[in-house]
């Protein structure tokens, strides 16, 4: 059984550690963008600051025997209108990771549902996220979860 709980400031070291699951993949594919080995205290400070932001909610997934299985971090964001686009209130899934030996057990789906519920309670109309093109596993997860591509971000070295 998977238990989802809301993370607190005491969980910052755990979130920093869990972040390594996906960070290694990012560094492996885009070392030009991602720091090789972020310091633990710097990561903890990052997560503490995020958890102190009232628009941010982080969740931790635990097994029934207390083993940590993954985490997600989301924030409620107001998109401002312009002459071209409508304003919107969205919940943005900024980070999600599942420990490798728990993949395929529904952990990611349970975390995703907790994020959806945050959005519903805040009055958001949609859940948005982004995914790196090289992250085929994450792209497959989001496709299976019913996400649609919204835009594609491109880059080019100069």
């Amino acid at each position: 059984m998977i238990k989802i709980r809301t993370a607190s400031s005491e969980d910052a070291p755990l979130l920093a550690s869990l972040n390594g699951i996906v960070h290694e993949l990012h560094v492996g594919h885009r070392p030009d963008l991602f720091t090789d080995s972020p310091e633990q205290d710097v990561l903890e400070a990052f997560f503490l600051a995020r958890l102190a932001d009232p628009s941010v909610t982080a969740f931790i997934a635990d097994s029934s025997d207390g083993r940590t299985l993954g985490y997600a971090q989301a924030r409620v964001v107001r998109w401002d209108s312009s002459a071209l686009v409508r304003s919107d209130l969205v919940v943005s899934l900024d980070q999600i990771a599942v420990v490798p030996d728990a993949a395929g057990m529904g952990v990611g789906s349970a975390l995703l549902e907790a994020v959806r519920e945050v959005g519903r309670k805040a009055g958001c109309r949609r859940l948005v996220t982004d995914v790196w093109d090289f992250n085929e596993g994450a792209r497959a997860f989001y496709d299976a979860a019913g996400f649609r591509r919204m835009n594609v971000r491109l880059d080019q070295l100069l």
Side-chain angles (χ1 to χ4, degrees), residues 23-46:
H23 190 77
E24 286 182 26
L25 177 69
H26 291 147
V27 171
H29 288 299
R30 289 302 303 261
D32 60 317
L33 295 176
F34 292 94
T35 58
D36 186 28
S37 298
E39 297 294 325
Q40 183 73 13
D41 60 334
V42 173
L43 281 173
E44 288 178 26
F46 168 80

Side-chain angles (χ1 to χ4, degrees), residues 100-115:
D101 63 343
M105 294 174 38
V107 176
S109 295
L111 288 164
L112 191 57
E113 187 53 35
V115 169

Side-chain angles (χ1 to χ4, degrees), residues 119-130:
R120 289 182 194 111
K121 285 181 179 176
C124 297
R125 290 185 349 105
R126 69 184 77 244
L127 166 61
V128 297
T129 193
D130 58 44

Side-chain angles (χ1 to χ4, degrees), residues 26 47-48 72 86-87 97-98 100-101 118 129 149 152-153 158:
H26 291 147
F47 282 103
L48 278 171
R86 301 174 192 272
S87 67
V98 173
D101 63 343
V118 164
T129 193
R149 280 169 182 71
V152 176
R153 190 172 185 183
L158 301 178

Side-chain angles (χ1 to χ4, degrees), residues 132-144:
W132 289 91
D133 190 56
F134 58 76
N135 195 339
E136 294 175 12
R139 288 189 296 127
F141 169 75
Y142 292 128
D143 287 344

